[in-house]
Amino acid sequence: MLTSKDIEFFITIAASKSLAAAARKMNVTPPGVSQRLQQIERKLGVTLVERNARSISLTAEGELFARKGQHILTELEDLHQDVSDAKQAIAGDLKIVSPLGLGIYHIGPLIAEFQRLYPAVNVELNLSDAPKWSAHHSPDIMLYIGHLQDSSLKRVVLAKNRRLLLAAPSYIASAPDLNHPGDLAHHRCIALRENDEDATMWRFTHRESAHVTSVRITPVLSSNVGQVTKDWSLAGQGIIQRSQWDVRTELEAGTLTEILPCYQLADADIVALLSSERLRRPGKVTVFLSFLQQQLPARLNAG
C-alpha cells in the first residue's frame, strides 16, 4: 500500500530534472532514489518515469500520480488542520536550520526573543556551515544565504544582503595595486567554500557601466567556515568576500577595508526555505517568518 511518504517522494522526483537532481534535494544517493522509485512502480504495477542518460520524463501514469498525489497531500494537510484543536494557536515544536555565523550572532538571539513572546512554542535550532534540506528529517524552516541552485523549496526573502570585497590595511599596504578585478591574479585570495556555489569564480558588476567581469581566482587559502576565512584576512593573509552584515564591526573599526568599491559583487539575500508541498503553513511558521522579516533587517543593519 502506498504511503504519504511515497507520494511526497515521487512529487520531489516529478519536480526534478533528473534522478541525480532529486537525490541532491533529498540528500540521498542516486541509487537509493532509483531503488525506491522502482519499489513504488512495483506497488502500482506501472512505469511512472522514463529514464534517460541525463534527464527524466513522466509517463502518462506518472503525470496522473503526481497530480492526484499532490491533491491527496493537500487534503491530508487540510484534514490535519480541520481536526486540530490548536489550529489557530501559536504552539508546538518549531525546527530551524541556519548557517553557523548567522545563527550564532543573529538568529539565536531572535529565537530567544520569539520564544519569550510565544512561550507555547518549543524551538530547536541546528547550525551548520553547509545547511542541507533532508527529506527524512526536514525542518520547518531552513535559512539560506546566497544563490540557490535547483530546488523545489518555497523561497521567502527575509533580508537583503550585499557582499563586499575586503582586505586588512596591513595587506593592502604591502600588496600590488588593485584597480580592476583582473588585478586579482597578482593577489593572495581567500575562498569560502559553502553551499554549492563556485567558490573560485568571482563576478563583478561595474556600478556605472554595468559591465560584468568574471575572474577565476586561485586561492592561497580556503575553508568551509566563514569565521576562519575572515580571521585569515584580518591577519593580513589576503582578500576575501564577506556579507556586509558579517563585517560591519570590522569596517567601523578599520581592521578590514572595502576594496574595488566601484564594483558590486553578486547579492546574497538571506532567505527562508520551506517545503513546496505544504500549501498551508501552520500558524507557528507564519508568525515566526513574519517576526524574522520585521526584526532581522534592523538587527543586521545595527551590527
Side-chain angles (χ1 to χ4, degrees), residues 41-299:
E41 288 177 327
R42 284 196 296 269
K43 287 182 181 180
L44 294 172
V46 297
T47 299
L48 298 172
V49 175
E50 295 290 350
R51 288 84 152 169
N52 298 316
R54 295 185 177 180
S55 64
I56 58 174
S57 60
L58 301 185
T59 63
E61 292 82 2
E63 293 281 1
L64 177 63
F65 184 41
R67 185 174 65 255
K68 293 289 187 179
Q70 181 65 75
H71 178 71
I72 290 171
L73 291 179
T74 302
E75 289 294 319
L76 285 173
E77 179 68 18
D78 289 346
L79 177 62
H80 175 77
Q81 292 291 329
D82 291 341
V83 301
S84 174
D85 293 334
K87 179 179 178 181
Q88 300 299 329
I90 308 305
D93 296 334
L94 187 62
K95 295 183 179 180
I96 312 295
V97 173
S98 170
L100 188 62
L102 180 71
I104 291 173
Y105 297 110
H106 297 291
I107 301 304
L110 287 176
I111 284 177
E113 176 63 16
F114 179 81
Q115 206 283 324
R116 186 187 67 80
L117 295 172
Y118 300 96
V121 178
N122 304 315
V123 186
E124 176 185 326
L125 174 63
N126 291 297
L127 304 180
S128 171
D129 268 304
K132 297 289 185 181
W133 187 282
S134 169
H136 303 294
H137 303 285
S138 58
D140 293 292
I141 301 171
M142 183 172 79
L143 304 182
Y144 193 92
I145 302 175
H147 176 68
L148 184 64
Q149 303 291 338
D150 179 30
S151 176
S152 63
L153 297 173
K154 178 69 175 178
R155 179 178 181 271
V156 178
V157 176
L158 300 176
K160 305 299 289 184
N161 179 42
R162 289 180 56 217
R163 279 178 174 157
L164 305 177
L165 196 69
L166 305 144
S170 59
Y171 174 82
I172 296 172
S174 61
D177 290 340
L178 181 56
N179 301 308
H180 183 273
D183 295 334
L184 288 169
H186 308 296
H187 283 261
R188 293 173 56 88
C189 295
I190 300 172
L192 175 60
R193 303 185 184 276
E194 60 181 356
N195 304 328
D196 295 320
E197 296 186 22
D198 187 344
T200 62
M201 178 59 74
W202 290 5
R203 294 179 175 84
F204 302 83
T205 302
H206 195 274
R207 295 186 184 277
E208 293 185 1
S209 69
H211 178 72
V212 177
T213 302
S214 296
V215 177
R216 175 69 70 182
I217 65 162
T218 302
V220 295
L221 295 166
S222 65
S223 174
N224 68 322
V225 177
Q227 185 62 49
V228 171
T229 63
K230 185 167 71 169
D231 288 345
W232 282 336
S233 189
L234 284 166
Q237 292 298 312
I239 299 170
I240 58 170
Q241 291 189 39
R242 290 302 293 156
S243 294
Q244 186 175 25
W245 64 264
D246 190 39
V247 293
R248 189 176 301 277
T249 299
E250 289 79 9
L251 287 171
E252 292 175 353
T255 53
L256 285 178
T257 300
E258 182 181 5
I259 53 181
L260 293 180
C262 56
Y263 289 87
Q264 181 175 336
L265 294 167
D267 289 338
D269 292 343
I270 301 172
V271 302
L273 302 178
L274 304 96
S275 171
S276 59
E277 287 81 18
R278 180 174 294 175
L279 301 181
R280 296 176 62 185
R281 299 175 195 158
K284 61 187 178 182
V285 173
T286 299
V287 171
F288 183 70
L289 284 176
S290 178
F291 176 80
L292 284 185
Q293 287 178 316
Q294 293 173 11
Q295 300 296 326
L296 184 58
R299 185 180 177 88

